Amino acid sequence: MNPIVVVHGGGAGPISKDRKERMHKGIVRAATVGYGILREGGSAVDAVEGAVVALEDDPEFNADTSLLSH
């Protein structure tokens, strides 16, 4: 089986070329995290959670996880 990882990184509105590059790196990082979890035998839910956490931890995606600690 060859798992497929799909990550949606937002992108509403105009995005500068520099920011687009940073966002692409963040999406690749999130997909890599999710794929790594699947490759190690993790569940699809764990892979999605890992990818989402990677996006939430990336300031380019405006997840504002600082609100979670209050």
Side-chain angles (χ1 to χ4, degrees), residues 17-63:
K17 186 176 180 179
D18 290 339
R19 182 158 188 242
K20 183 177 179 180
E21 195 172 306
R22 292 190 307 269
M23 290 177 76
H24 181 263
K25 287 180 181 180
I27 292 167
V28 169
R29 190 171 23 260
T32 301
V33 167
Y35 181 72
I37 292 169
L38 291 174
R39 205 174 70 227
E40 295 296 318
S43 71
V45 172
D46 290 340
V48 169
E49 181 179 11
V52 169
V53 167
L55 289 174
E56 288 175 345
D57 289 344
D58 190 317
E60 291 300 324
F61 295 98
N62 194 27

